[in-house]
Amino acid sequence: IYRSTSSTTLPSFLLVGPSGAGKTALLTLFERGQHVETRTSQVPISVEVSLPVSTNAASLKYRSVNDPSNQVHKKFLLADTPGHGKLRHYAFDGVIKPQNLKGIIFMVDAADISMGNSGSGNEALRQAAEYLHDILLLLQKRSTSSKTSKAPKELPILIAANKLDLFTALPAPLVRTALESEISNVRSSKTKGLLDSGIGMNDLDIGEEKEWLGDGGDGKFEFSQMDEVNVAVSVAGGNVLGADGQDVKQWWDWIASNL
Ligand code: GTP
Ligand code: MG
């Protein structure tokens, strides 16, 4: 795979999500236009990707089709990270030290998280929710830790519900609600963990405190609570491979609208 060296100024998107979600499969599809067999990633990798001609980048809207700079602006860097629990520092680094970062794609295997109902039975859902919680909390901290009162720069995140070719996969709207309610659980169990470890309720200062994701209430977590810190969360389904071919159009469109 071509490793980009001289393109630090290109807009970039960061690919994160649990192991086996299909991140590297998407990267190779976007880069080469075809599916290549992947194995689990151990290091991050960045490739240069060109937006398909049929997709118009938001930044090109007011330019003439003959503008030569169109060609330049349609390219971006896609940074893939390993999903394994012990290798997630690569992803967190990518969020913290963004180089012209335009957005984050959190990919999940929608078939994997569909097993069992909510409650204790679904380990894959719990793990995905925990990972997503930590990414969102990092993004939220950009604003609570900033010295100025100004809201941080907008940073959109796409939850890509992958493997919708599998009949057991949860449709994208259900992936959204499953993750929202599981993040609610993660949020309260993390707080409980802190309290159990001897930190007083006053030290926690829920509501303003940096460790509490979303708004201060103890109700349900919803992705819309991230709007306040300028993080727009979208959910869109697709599949990188499948018997009837791939379907990645919604993801291309999201990238294009944030490029
Ligand atoms: P890590 O590198 O471990 O973090 O995983 P990853 O997210 O990079 O997963 P990877 O791209 O390696 O894909 C995991 C497996 O899922 C591979 O065997 C892919 O062929 C398969 N896969 C990826 N996308 C799809 C899809 O849309 N449908 C189906 N059925 N399988 C898929
Ligand atoms: Mg991978």
Side-chain angles (χ1 to χ4, degrees), residues 23-24 39-41 80-82:
K23 300 179 294 297
T24 309
R39 62 183 65 175
T40 189
S41 308
D80 178 28
T81 57

Side-chain angles (χ1 to χ4, degrees), residues 24-252:
T24 309
L26 180 71
L27 177 104
T28 52
L29 176 68
F30 275 6
E31 188 194 19
R32 307 178 191 190
Q34 65 187 55
H35 171 65
V36 180
E37 218 20 80
T38 54
R39 62 183 65 175
T40 189
S41 308
Q42 297 187 7
V43 289
I45 186 166
S46 284
V47 300
E48 215 176 278
V49 177
S50 302
L51 204 64
V53 270
S54 58
T55 318
N56 281 323
S59 55
L60 301 182
K61 239 174 232 154
Y62 304 107
R63 287 212 189 114
S64 143
V65 271
N66 299 317
D67 187 333
S69 63
N70 277 358
Q71 298 310 316
V72 178
H73 284 267
K74 276 184 198 158
K75 284 194 170 157
F76 61 93
L77 274 187
L78 188 61
D80 178 28
T81 57
H84 189 280
K86 290 188 172 150
L87 299 172
R88 289 187 187 159
H89 55 275
Y90 292 118
F92 297 134
D93 283 353
V95 175
I96 297 164
K97 301 180 223 140
Q99 292 191 335
N100 203 4
L101 187 64
K102 295 291 183 191
I104 298 172
I105 301 172
F106 184 93
M107 186 171 252
V108 284
D109 178 339
D112 199 26
I113 64 170
S114 74
M115 258 89 79
N117 295 313
S118 57
S120 57
N122 194 337
E123 183 60 19
L125 174 60
R126 201 187 56 79
Q127 287 196 10
E130 230 171 53
Y131 191 4
L132 183 55
H133 170 276
D134 291 353
I135 294 275
L136 293 176
L137 190 59
L138 260 188
L139 292 173
Q140 176 179 302
K141 282 179 179 172
R142 294 180 316 156
S143 73
T144 42
S145 64
S146 96
K147 299 281 177 291
T148 66
S149 57
K150 242 176 66 196
K153 222 177 91 215
E154 219 167 277
L155 192 57
I157 176 163
L158 170 70
I159 296 168
N162 189 30
K163 308 199 187 180
L164 293 193
D165 57 302
L166 302 175
F167 82 100
T168 52
L170 274 189
L174 294 186
V175 168
R176 166 191 275 271
T177 49
L179 283 172
E180 281 179 330
S181 70
E182 194 61 25
I183 286 176
S184 305
N185 296 338
V186 170
R187 191 169 70 164
S188 24
S189 65
K190 288 214 176 200
T191 311
K192 188 174 175 304
L194 286 174
L195 290 173
D196 288 350
S197 71
I199 294 176
M201 196 64 187
N202 293 336
D203 302 326
L204 261 183
D205 201 8
I206 287 171
E208 278 148 31
E209 181 48 38
K210 301 177 171 76
E211 297 307 321
W212 182 263
L213 181 67
D215 70 18
D218 47 6
K220 201 174 163 291
F221 172 77
E222 283 170 17
F223 289 131
S224 59
Q225 291 168 16
M226 299 303 295
D227 290 349
E228 205 175 314
V229 290
N230 259 335
V231 176
V233 184
S234 326
V235 185
N239 53 282
V240 178
L241 42 136
D244 302 324
Q246 82 257 9
D247 176 10
V248 292
K249 177 164 189 316
Q250 292 192 65
W251 303 337
W252 272 132

